[in-house]
Structure formats: C-alpha cells, structure tokens
Amino acid sequence: MDRRLLLGFAGAGIALVLLVYAVGWDDVFDAAGDASLSIYALAFVAAGVCQVFRSMVWYRLLGIIGESTPRLLVLRIFLTGMFLKYVTPYGQVAAGPGIAYVLSQYTNSEYESDLATVVSADFLNYVPYYTFGTVGFVYFVVGQSRLPNLGLYYVAVPLLVAAVGGLLAVFWSRRGIVQRGVVGVTGGVRALVAYVSTNLAERISEEAVRERLAGFYETLDLVSKDRRSVAAAVVYAHVGWFFLMLPVYIVALALGTHIPLGLAFLVVALSKLGFLVPLPGGLGGVEFVLAGMITLVTGLSPATATAIAILYRLTAYWQTIALGGLCSASLSVSGQPA
C-alpha cells in the first residue's frame, strides 16, 4: 500500500510539473508570486469552514439512526475519512467501506448502518455540485454574448449527470437487481479470497452479504423518512459547498483579478471531472480541468488560471490532507472506540 501511494503521488507530481511546464514556468510563478498573503489566508479559512459544515451532514444523519456522537469527534472522523479519500486513487468512490469501518469503531451502531450513513452523507455532499453547477451554467449562458467552443464538454457533462442519476435510480428502486449483482460479484471472488483468509471468505458468504444489504437498505429507509433532519443536512451540504467554491473567488482576488461568483460555481463543479484521473485525489487532473475551465469561461490567461488552480488546491486539497492526517493520528493515539 505504501508503495502504491508513493507511486500515485509521484505520478501526480509529474502531472503537475507537466501542466506548469506546458503553460510556462516563469509566467505561472510570476502570477502566483504576486498574491496578497493576507487575502490568500482567507481562502484557507473558507476551506476549513467547508469541512466543518460537511461534517455536520454526518452529524445530522448519525442522529437519525440514534447515535449521539459529539460534534468534535464527528469532525475528526470526517476529516480522517477525507484523508482516506484524498490519498488513494478513485478514493471518492472506493474509500466508503473503509471510512464506514472507522466510523463504526466510534459508534454503537452496526457497520451496515454506518456504511449507509457514509453513503447518504456523500450523496448529500455531492448534490450541490449539480445545484450550484446548474446555477453557474445558467449564469454563464445568460451572461455571455458568445459561447466559447467547449467541444465535448457540452455533451460529456449532461451525459455524466444522466449516468449518475440513472445509477442512483437503479440503486434505490431496483434493490433486487442490486442484491443479485452484489451477491454474484462476491460469489465470484469468494474462492480467491479463501486462499488468503478463510475468515474473510466467510464474511462475504451469500447469507452474510444478503444480511448486510438488508441492514444497509433498512438504514437508508430510516434516513429518508426523517425529512426534517435530511432537509437540515441538505442545507449544511450546500453551505459547505459554497465555502468549497469560495477559495477560487478569494484566490483570484489575492492575485489582483476577479472571477464572478456564478463562474466560480461553474468551474468548481466541472473540476469534479478531474477526479476521473487515476491519481490520489485527482491530482493533476483537477488542476488541469480547473485551469482550463477558468481560461475558457473567464478569459484569464492560462498562466493566471493555472496559478489560481494550484493555489486553490493548496487550500481545498492539501490543507484537508494535513488536517485529516492529524485527526487520523489523534484517533489512533487516543484509542476511544465505542
């Protein structure tokens, strides 16, 4: 695992170097060097506030299943989960079960309930990408006299939204199909797992998998019925996302330029496509998409856009990794499992 992480970050470093090299070393560093540190510091504060509100989504959903976990502990576990997501390739998708395991060590609920909570919270925290992204796209279309040629983006983005919506609809309404698919996949790998660990193979037996899925969906149903708590969680998610976007606006101000809030909504929402790059936290890919979109929709120079993208990621990505690593270490040292 350590070797894979090192290789992942090495690949991300090469991708970032190539991006800056392609734009121009001197131009990018000159643009970044002109940043006002006092204004830029506010971007770190905004990114930190984002994580607090996103952790509140977890807190409200945990309350639905009857867990009275202290807010500070929820924040520490949330940041630990973000650390796991950001240091592994495709961690946004694959880290959920591991995060649920960490959460289950500090709550009295079953693993399935905590997994359902993590999945539900992740879904609610991703909804603002679409709502704010839509607002940003409308602002962009209405405010531009001539739309730039974005090529496949005009097709890829709606298709991606439709695909995610279709998968969620199948996951929620066709539970029998999901169950058969999960049982089939685990059945296919059970024999291979048995060579490594018989105990692990028993844990993914057909009966165990069906029981876990039943508990998972039971918790999802419970969460969906508490509309007041879900509504509060949705509000927290949108406030959190606003503070995730705000550093782009602040970084631009720090560099002596301006990006309208509506366009900041759009570029941050589309930057999510950068996570498709199989590198930790989408490193390199997010910066490339973000810089490219800033250039296309605002008309800023590639050097300035790249400087904004890199400085933004220092607040939204690297700060989260640092805080998440510290929280992970503190949880390991404190040893407070329920």
Side-chain angles (χ1 to χ4, degrees), residues 325-337:
L326 290 174
C327 288
S328 177
S330 70
L331 289 176
S332 299
V333 171
S334 62
Q336 299 175 352

Side-chain angles (χ1 to χ4, degrees), residues 59-69 107-109 117 222:
Y59 180 78
R60 290 306 298 249
L61 295 186
L62 284 171
I64 294 176
I65 64 174
E67 285 296 330
S68 57
T69 310
T107 64
N108 294 316
S109 57
T117 300
L222 181 64

Side-chain angles (χ1 to χ4, degrees), residues 71-84:
R71 287 184 175 89
L72 182 58
L73 179 58
V74 173
L75 176 61
R76 292 164 64 195
I77 298 173
F78 172 79
L79 287 171
T80 298
M82 294 301 294
F83 175 78
L84 294 175

Side-chain angles (χ1 to χ4, degrees), residues 23-67:
V23 174
W25 286 102
D26 293 337
D27 294 336
V28 172
F29 282 111
D30 286 344
D34 293 334
S36 167
L37 295 181
S38 59
I39 296 177
Y40 183 47
L42 296 176
F44 285 91
V45 175
V49 173
C50 162
Q51 304 305 341
V52 171
F53 274 97
R54 285 186 152 189
S55 73
M56 288 299 294
V57 176
W58 281 35
Y59 180 78
R60 290 306 298 249
L61 295 186
L62 284 171
I64 294 176
I65 64 174
E67 285 296 330

Side-chain angles (χ1 to χ4, degrees), residues 247-294:
V248 168
Y249 178 82
I250 295 174
V251 169
L253 291 180
L255 295 183
T257 186
H258 173 67
I259 295 179
L261 282 176
L263 295 184
F265 290 163
L266 179 61
V267 298
V268 173
L270 291 178
S271 71
K272 193 69 174 176
L273 295 174
F275 283 97
L276 296 175
V277 176
L279 292 172
L283 267 175
V286 173
E287 286 82 357
F288 176 80
V289 173
L290 190 58
M293 293 307 303
I294 290 174

